[in-house]
Amino acid sequence: GAGVSQSPSNKVTEKGKDVELRCDPISGHTALYWYRQRLGQGLEFLIYFQGNSAPDKSGLPSDRFSAERTGESVSTLTIQRTQQEDSAVYLCASSLVWGDQPQHFGDGTRLSIL
Amino acid sequence: EDKVVQSPLSLVVHEGDTVTLNCSYEVTNFRSLLWYKQEKKAPTFLFMLTSSGIEKKSGRLSSILDKKELFSILNITATQTGDSAIYLCAVGDNNDMRFGAGTRLTVKP
């Protein structure tokens, strides 16, 4: 499809395990954004990429979180040594360039830490 | 500290009612305010507002921004059950977008 694609759609894992979440942005979109949405809360900005560069990583909750992007395509968000408070929906969005609005969102990955 | 506050957090109405959702914000560098509708998964874009006093309208939905008082409202007239969703307000500054907690709207038949 032509939209933002995220995988897996659901992930259940044990506390302490590492997880990797994937985002395929809309083709041609150079900017990519990661957000976290905890139950009943709004979206929390984590990190954005312009191309494969991430100028601002200050939104990442801890050093267990990291993100990479290959060129201007796929991005992965990795959470190491998962904790129960990491349980949330992780949403990815993309736009033509950074700052361009609106952002187009994927369906998210629902992460549950047991 | 930058913040976006939406009210009410939850609202239950009956079909045909008119609702007004509120979003107030405090950000260091304002660029735009956006409204999204989130039903089951991905938020879908509704409106982007950058200038005060200019109403954006799409069908039964409309929105307006007041940059002096730092708030926006989203109006939905003649509500339908399909309007049931979480409505998110996001404010973009020069660095990122900040989202409010959302208003959960439930429209009963």
Side-chain angles (χ1 to χ4, degrees):
Chain A
V4 177
S5 176
Q6 291 188 247
S7 62
S9 55
N10 283 284
K11 177 73 176 178
V12 181
T13 192
E14 293 179 347
K15 176 182 172 181
K17 300 284 189 183
D18 296 352
V19 295
E20 193 172 276
L21 313 180
R22 177 188 169 105
C23 173
D24 278 284
I26 292 172
S27 179
H29 280 194
T30 63
L32 185 148
Y33 313 80
W34 281 101
Y35 296 89
R36 177 170 71 176
Q37 187 174 33
R38 288 185 164 137
L39 188 63
Q41 298 186 20
L43 300 185
E44 175 189 5
F45 173 78
L46 298 179
I47 190 171
Y48 81 89
F49 288 89
Q50 176 57 50
N52 61 6
S53 172
D56 183 4
K57 300 180 180 179
S58 62
L60 294 175
S62 76
D63 58 9
R64 297 184 295 103
F65 286 71
S66 62
E68 292 184 345
R69 188 178 185 194
T70 306
E72 294 185 348
S73 59
V74 173
S75 175
T76 54
L77 178 69
T78 301
I79 309 173
Q80 295 178 310
R81 305 180 302 282
T82 51
Q83 304 293 314
Q84 287 188 330
E85 64 261 27
D86 300 333
S87 295
V89 174
Y90 289 82
L91 285 161
C92 174
S94 72
S95 63
L96 278 172
V97 294
W98 175 80
D100 186 48
Q101 301 295 348
Q103 298 172 15
H104 301 266
F105 284 84
D107 283 344
T109 294
R110 181 175 297 280
L111 177 64
S112 300
I113 309 299
L114 302 178
Chain B
E1 181 183 339
D2 292 352
K3 60 182 179 181
V4 179
V5 179
Q6 291 186 245
S7 63
L9 291 181
S10 180
L11 187 59
V12 181
V13 300
H14 287 92
E15 275 193 314
D17 288 349
T18 293
V19 297
T20 298
L21 311 183
N22 302 284
C23 175
S24 64
Y25 62 92
E26 291 180 30
V27 296
T28 307
N29 297 297
F30 176 87
R31 289 186 65 193
S32 58
L33 184 146
L34 290 87
W35 285 97
Y36 287 87
K37 177 182 180 182
Q38 185 177 27
E39 293 178 82
K40 291 184 178 177
K41 293 186 176 179
T44 55
F45 171 76
L46 295 176
F47 298 110
M48 180 170 71
L49 304 161
T50 56
S51 301
S52 271
I54 299 174
E55 184 184 53
K56 293 278 183 92
K57 197 170 172 64
S58 176
R60 296 177 294 103
L61 278 66
S62 63
S63 184
I64 197 162
L65 173 67
D66 186 328
K67 290 172 73 173
K68 181 179 177 184
E69 300 298 329
L70 307 183
F71 78 92
S72 172
I73 59 172
L74 175 68
N75 278 321
I76 309 175
T77 59
T79 52
Q80 302 171 358
T81 55
D83 296 327
S84 295
I86 296 173
Y87 290 83
L88 293 168
C89 171
V91 178
D93 67 9
N94 288 337
N95 295 309
D96 58 50
M97 291 191 66
R98 291 189 179 274
F99 283 79
T103 293
R104 179 179 292 278
L105 174 65
T106 302
V107 181
K108 292 187 173 182

